[in-house]
Amino acid sequence: MYEISQDLSLDKKLEILSDAAKYDVACTSSGSDRRGQKGMLGNSCAAGICHSFAADGRCISLLKILMTNHCVYDCKYCKNRRSNDIERATFTPREICTLTTEFYKRNYIEGLFLSSGVINSPDYTMEKMCETLRLLRTEYRFNGYIHIKAIPGASSELINSAGLLADRISINMELPTEESLSLLAPNKSVKNIVTPMNSISTAIASHRLAIGKDARMERAVINDRLSHTIFSGNDRAKNIGTAGSKGIEEAVNSALLSNNVNRGGSFLPADPKDKSLRRPFAPAGQSTQMIIGASEESDYDIMSTAQLLYKGFDLKRVFYSAYIPLNDDSALPSLDTPVPLLREHRLYQADFLLRYYGFGISELLSDDKPNFDTRIDPKCEWALRHLGDFPVEVNKASYDQLIRVPGIGPTSIKRIMSARRYGHVNFMMLKKMGVVLKRAQFFITCDGHMMGNIPIEEQFILNRLTDADRKTSYQIQNPDNSVQMNLFNDFGLSAGSA
Amino acid sequence: MRVFICEHNWEAMLSCIYDAWSSKLGHANIRLTTQEPEQYSLLDEYVTVSFDRGKAESVMDAVNLKISPQVYSEIAYAAMSSEEDALDTIYRVLILGFAYGPNVVKMVGYKDVSRFFDIRRAVGNEVHHFIEFVRFHEIRRSLYVAHIEPKNHIVGALGGHFSDRMPSENWMIIDDVHKEAIVHPKDEDFYFKKLSDDEFTRLLCTEEENDEYTDLWKVFFDSIAISERFNPKLQRNLFPIWKRKHAVEFK
Ligand code: SF4
């Protein structure tokens, strides 16, 4: 099985193994700031850099490939699962190194995203991946961005050496509850996902402490201004509280309480004499991904797990990937199920609210209201339920109040606060500062006045907000459906958005 | 109205600011620009200013000392703009700066300051755009050449980023519009160069050289897109067609 693919040409391999990697959504090169060095190739820029946009509109920042699409596992939702009869290929470490450095020099990419199917065993696979990264960092002198996927079930030593070679390391949570994980990914378990996650987060924290940083990852500056966020508090075990995700919570708790992994020098690189191997541990942090819509869970389940992982393991990012039916399987939604793009979009918006706006998931959803409204975004939804707190006076309101106004974000708050020191802010200025007035207008006053004559009445505002977003929401769910779009316009159904 | 005209390079612009300032005609009665007017008006008087080291230095010192080094670097950055009113806007901002000090950049209520930031932002966006979308081509072993067609004179602003990114490679970025380039020899500092017509024509065809990694990149570019999420509209919004000219993946 391994040998067959060796005959394939490099471009054929690249075609197969990038095609197989494309469902992994993370492609950002952000989170690491590293200057270049003479004799080496590459640097890293904290904001991340996109180099192109693929036909699906997603940014291309990294050479995203699998090392191999051979796999001994049989995850139901995955194209590479053992039971599928597909063309298989495997890159040699040198092929990966050459592609990465040559693409990099042409400014096609910021670095490498390396994932893999499980070949022989998790340890064997992880070992091969580490070997590739080591070669890339030493002989090929590559100093750009690397994101590596840890293989669930690989030993913590191997995962640790991967973390020392990469900027970001991630393990996919895949599904938000234990039940669906055992149903759809029978070879994986919550434990062999959560345990390495914990070991990685401990390693990141101790490396950060060792170089004089705060143990926890940097968050958006705005979080320091807010009185309460999901990232406040330092005791991770106490911090996670009781979110509603079944099974996962227990596993997270027990992982956190048995914190006996990774002390001191146990994860020093193999050859500390080589300078290019003396690196911080995954400076861009760890991330994970969940598949949306392959299983029954509600948005509340998904976001609760996300919040749990942010709090418990200080994850830098959680990614959400709308399920695309690839396999015909009774355990899965049927092949003609539409890809839940709008739902995915709402989850990203909610994720933003957790990371940048100081919201907790229980403020947004509950057992009685487990799913987001598809018509309006989660922040508008929240605001509509709290109309009593509005309108807020832009010239007096605090950070905590402003951040909760729909249409106002961290950047515009910074501008508002700075402008307030020199005079009064009016609606014209707000517009210039990037405030989205078509949403914000219902919730703010400037020197006591609202922008128009607006009744503070839930149904009225809901209708207006729905109108303002209808076109966008429709396009998100139906990106290529131009015919329907015209129908919308022809019948005047889409309220022209200001 | 007296119009001060100079070439589009920073030293000449500083000299031009000096002459405009010391003309003592009243700020309302003068205008500065780097572009020859399409039509000369009979009511205006035109003065061409060329680079003068002493004048340039005295403006540089005045801005650095009396306003701030930050403001100096902000105006130098904005000066890469090709907007007709860029130099004049810089001049107006400096007038405010000499009156109010370094806080001038926060006074966005003033029309000149807000125009300044529009110009500054457009330049910044274009620099950022090319950091992302410059494509190098290997024309012979280990020599990488890129062509760009920017609106503003920004090729110099790309030097820092790419020197840090590829300190030990030989590379060159050529601005086809303004016929200027930055050149980076391996392990050395990059330098800026105005290209002669001859140099320019010789360098023009580098993108036709065969580079096998261009083909591999196209393979990757096509197979990484998820067909079930096909969204050309979004792709166009993020990467407008008119900006794709040198992006080999679209060829
Ligand atoms: S482990 Fe599961 S998800 Fe990963 S490649 Fe194998 S079958 Fe696919």
Side-chain angles (χ1 to χ4, degrees):
Chain A
M1 177 156 111
Y2 189 72
E3 281 74 25
I4 302 170
S5 59
Q6 300 307 304
D7 297 322
L8 296 173
S9 65
L10 187 57
D11 59 338
K12 189 67 199 166
K13 284 189 189 183
L14 180 60
E15 190 188 327
I16 296 172
L17 293 169
S18 54
D19 184 71
K22 70 186 176 191
Y23 299 104
D24 225 301
V25 283
C27 188
T28 136
S29 57
S30 59
S32 268
D33 231 340
R34 185 168 56 245
R35 303 279 311 191
Q37 269 179 52
K38 252 191 198 162
M40 313 265 270
L41 175 67
N43 59 4
S44 180
C45 160
I49 296 178
C50 271
H51 285 282
S52 195
F53 292 92
D56 52 16
R58 295 186 310 159
C59 128
I60 299 178
S61 180
L62 303 172
L63 170 63
K64 184 159 49 175
I65 48 174
L66 300 190
M67 182 178 75
T68 178
N69 64 342
H70 287 285
C71 194
V72 296
Y73 283 1
D74 205 38
C75 307
K76 298 267 191 297
Y77 48 81
C78 177
K79 204 169 124 193
N80 308 317
R81 64 183 192 178
R82 190 185 51 217
S83 51
N84 279 4
D85 180 20
I86 53 164
E87 194 167 14
R88 310 265 176 180
T90 303
F91 276 127
T92 66
R94 282 195 186 277
E95 285 169 337
I96 295 176
C97 293
T98 311
L99 281 174
T100 307
T101 48
E102 294 302 326
F103 277 13
Y104 192 89
K105 286 189 230 170
R106 286 156 181 77
N107 208 38
Y108 299 160
I109 54 168
E110 278 303 285
L112 172 67
F113 175 109
L114 187 63
S115 180
S116 185
V118 183
I119 189 159
N120 295 345
S121 71
D123 271 352
Y124 179 86
T125 313
M126 203 70 227
E127 173 84 60
K128 274 257 170 239
M129 292 168 88
C130 286
E131 183 192 325
T132 307
L133 297 200
R134 207 170 292 122
L135 193 66
L136 187 56
R137 288 293 194 206
T138 55
E139 197 182 310
Y140 288 79
R141 297 266 152 209
F142 182 67
N143 193 38
Y145 194 92
I146 298 180
H147 179 160
I148 188 169
K149 283 264 132 163
I151 305 293
S155 75
S156 65
E157 286 73 26
L158 284 168
I159 291 181
N160 277 327
S161 21
L164 282 164
L165 293 158
D167 289 278
R168 175 168 286 175
I169 180 161
S170 58
I171 304 183
N172 283 355
M173 188 73 231
E174 310 286 19
L175 296 155
T177 63
E178 183 147 40
E179 299 89 84
S180 49
L181 202 62
S182 58
L183 183 70
L184 298 181
N187 312 87
K188 295 178 181 169
S189 72
V190 171
K191 186 157 173 288
N192 72 19
I193 293 169
V194 162
T195 308
M197 251 185 205
N198 181 45
S199 117
I200 293 167
S201 82
T202 313
I204 293 176
S206 48
H207 270 253
R208 290 176 61 87
L209 286 173
I211 55 168
K213 287 189 176 171
D214 192 282
R216 294 177 71 84
M217 298 298 290
E218 289 81 15
R219 296 290 165 184
V221 189
I222 189 84
N223 278 309
D224 303 337
R225 302 274 185 171
L226 302 175
S227 49
H228 194 78
T229 78
I230 61 163
F231 302 112
S232 36
N234 259 325
D235 184 346
R236 290 191 280 144
K238 262 198 225 135
N239 202 18
I240 57 170
T242 47
S245 47
K246 305 131 197 154
I248 309 268
E249 193 189 334
E250 243 165 76
V252 170
N253 259 321
S254 82
L256 285 174
L257 294 174
S258 67
N259 241 341
N260 52 6
V261 275
N262 312 323
R263 290 267 172 257
S266 66
F267 34 73
L268 280 178
D271 182 8
K273 275 180 283 261
D274 188 330
K275 221 173 92 225
S276 52
L277 283 178
R278 234 176 286 147
R279 321 180 59 86
F281 190 96
Q286 87 166 303
S287 64
T288 195
Q289 170 174 323
M290 280 187 276
I291 304 167
I292 306 310
S295 50
E296 299 283 290
E297 287 87 0
S298 66
D299 292 347
Y300 188 41
D301 293 326
I302 294 164
M303 291 310 298
S304 297
T305 296
Q307 177 168 309
L308 192 67
L309 298 177
Y310 278 129
K311 286 183 156 198
F313 302 134
D314 198 25
L315 290 198
K316 190 73 184 176
R317 287 292 304 270
V318 175
F319 293 96
Y320 309 89
S321 164
Y323 173 67
I324 297 166
L326 300 167
N327 300 324
D328 201 359
D329 198 307
S330 59
L332 290 166
S334 65
L335 282 178
D336 54 4
T337 311
V339 183
L341 294 173
L342 185 55
R343 184 175 181 205
E344 176 195 274
H345 180 70
R346 293 282 176 251
L347 292 173
Y348 274 112
Q349 289 178 319
D351 187 82
F352 250 75
L353 296 183
L354 300 189
R355 289 189 298 128
Y356 292 100
Y357 293 76
F359 280 88
I361 190 59
S362 53
E363 293 180 88
L364 301 172
L365 295 171
S366 63
D367 285 327
D368 297 331
K369 182 155 195 323
N371 290 306
F372 290 115
D373 195 319
T374 46
R375 293 168 299 173
I376 54 173
D377 68 69
K379 196 181 182 190
C380 287
E381 216 188 325
W382 177 88
L384 279 178
R385 281 202 308 271
H386 294 82
L387 277 182
D389 300 350
F390 297 102
V392 301
E393 169 53 49
V394 176
N395 283 301
K396 295 212 177 75
S398 66
Y399 271 93
D400 284 296
Q401 288 175 305
L402 286 175
I403 197 82
R404 299 211 159 206
V405 177
I408 298 187
T411 317
S412 34
I413 294 187
K414 220 171 79 195
R415 294 185 184 139
I416 291 172
M417 289 302 187
S418 127
R420 264 174 23 179
R421 271 184 278 152
Y422 296 91
H424 280 230
V425 173
N426 59 34
F427 285 103
M428 265 296 285
M429 290 163 81
L430 287 180
K431 196 166 179 178
K432 275 221 138 189
M433 292 174 192
V435 170
V436 186
L437 286 175
K438 70 177 178 186
R439 281 195 273 281
Q441 58 171 333
F442 307 106
F443 306 100
I444 51 172
T445 57
C446 283
D447 290 327
H449 300 289
M450 295 198 80
M451 202 167 100
N453 211 351
I454 294 161
I456 306 212
E457 195 266 303
E458 189 175 337
Q459 194 56 45
F460 172 81
I461 301 178
L462 173 65
N463 291 345
R464 295 284 297 273
L465 287 170
T466 308
D467 282 349
D469 267 3
R470 180 169 290 129
K471 198 166 146 191
T472 324
S473 303
Y474 182 83
Q475 277 170 347
I476 289 168
Q477 184 57 45
N478 306 280
D480 193 33
N481 209 333
S482 39
V483 182
Q484 292 249 24
M485 208 45 244
N486 288 337
L487 277 181
F488 259 80
N489 289 335
D490 292 347
F491 292 104
L493 288 173
S494 95
S497 47
Chain B
M1 171 93 58
R2 188 182 290 175
V3 183
F4 293 86
I5 306 177
C6 68
E7 271 190 24
H8 200 293
N9 67 65
W10 185 225
E11 292 76 11
M13 289 190 234
L14 285 171
S15 316
C16 187
I17 291 171
Y18 183 95
D19 277 5
W21 189 277
S22 39
S23 70
K24 302 232 159 30
L25 288 170
H27 300 311
N29 303 318
I30 57 172
R31 233 168 59 72
L32 290 75
T33 180
T34 54
Q35 281 162 34
E36 296 278 336
E38 279 173 15
Q39 235 175 358
Y40 286 86
S41 131
L42 286 174
L43 300 171
D44 296 333
E45 176 196 351
Y46 298 88
V47 186
T48 307
V49 183
S50 46
F51 168 56
D52 176 311
R53 179 168 301 278
K55 292 174 181 173
E57 277 176 2
S58 79
V59 175
M60 177 175 87
D61 291 345
V63 178
N64 273 298
L65 295 172
K66 299 201 182 117
I67 309 179
S68 75
Q70 282 88 334
V71 170
Y72 182 75
S73 74
E74 286 285 310
I75 57 162
Y77 197 86
M80 293 186 285
S81 169
S82 294
E83 291 290 339
E84 199 272 331
D85 64 340
L87 180 56
D88 196 63
T89 307
I90 289 171
Y91 182 73
R92 308 286 150 195
V93 168
L94 288 180
I95 296 170
L96 289 168
F98 286 125
Y100 299 103
N103 272 338
V104 61
V105 284
K106 298 216 175 94
M107 295 160 37
V108 285
Y110 285 80
K111 142 176 144 299
D112 294 318
V113 179
S114 109
R115 174 68 186 146
F116 175 78
F117 277 106
D118 288 344
I119 292 172
R120 164 77 178 70
R121 201 173 309 120
V123 171
N125 287 346
E126 191 167 42
V127 170
H128 187 71
H129 170 81
F130 284 110
I131 283 179
E132 299 178 317
F133 302 120
V134 161
R135 297 286 185 259
F136 288 96
H137 216 79
E138 189 177 36
I139 58 162
R140 55 179 166 74
R141 185 126 183 80
S142 302
L143 174 58
Y144 302 91
V145 179
H147 287 266
I148 61 174
E149 295 183 34
K151 238 173 97 190
N152 304 302
H153 295 251
I154 50 92
V155 72
L158 300 173
H161 174 79
F162 286 101
S163 299
D164 191 52
R165 182 181 161 96
M166 306 202 283
S168 299
E169 314 297 327
N170 297 304
W171 53 260
M172 185 187 318
I173 304 175
I174 301 161
D175 172 347
D176 290 354
V177 179
H178 307 101
K179 298 196 180 161
E180 41 196 41
I182 51 172
V183 181
H184 179 274
K186 180 178 171 160
D187 292 324
E188 284 171 38
D189 290 336
F190 76 93
Y191 58 90
F192 177 87
K193 192 167 181 343
K194 271 261 169 230
L195 297 175
S196 68
D197 287 340
D198 176 50
E199 286 168 320
F200 183 70
T201 4
R202 285 215 327 252
L203 286 165
L204 207 53
C205 51
T206 61
E207 284 179 352
E208 274 129 52
E209 299 286 326
N210 185 40
D211 181 339
E212 57 171 318
Y213 288 96
T214 304
D215 300 330
L216 286 163
W217 167 239
K218 285 186 200 161
V219 168
F220 175 76
F221 181 75
D222 290 337
S223 69
I224 204 68
I226 299 179
S227 56
E228 292 85 348
R229 303 182 66 128
F230 184 58
N231 194 342
K233 201 180 257 161
L234 182 61
Q235 185 190 31
R236 265 199 314 274
N237 287 343
L238 296 166
F239 201 168
I241 288 165
W242 62 272
K243 287 182 170 178
R244 296 180 185 172
K245 185 153 174 211
H246 296 274
V248 287
E249 61 270 29
F250 292 103
K251 283 189 183 161

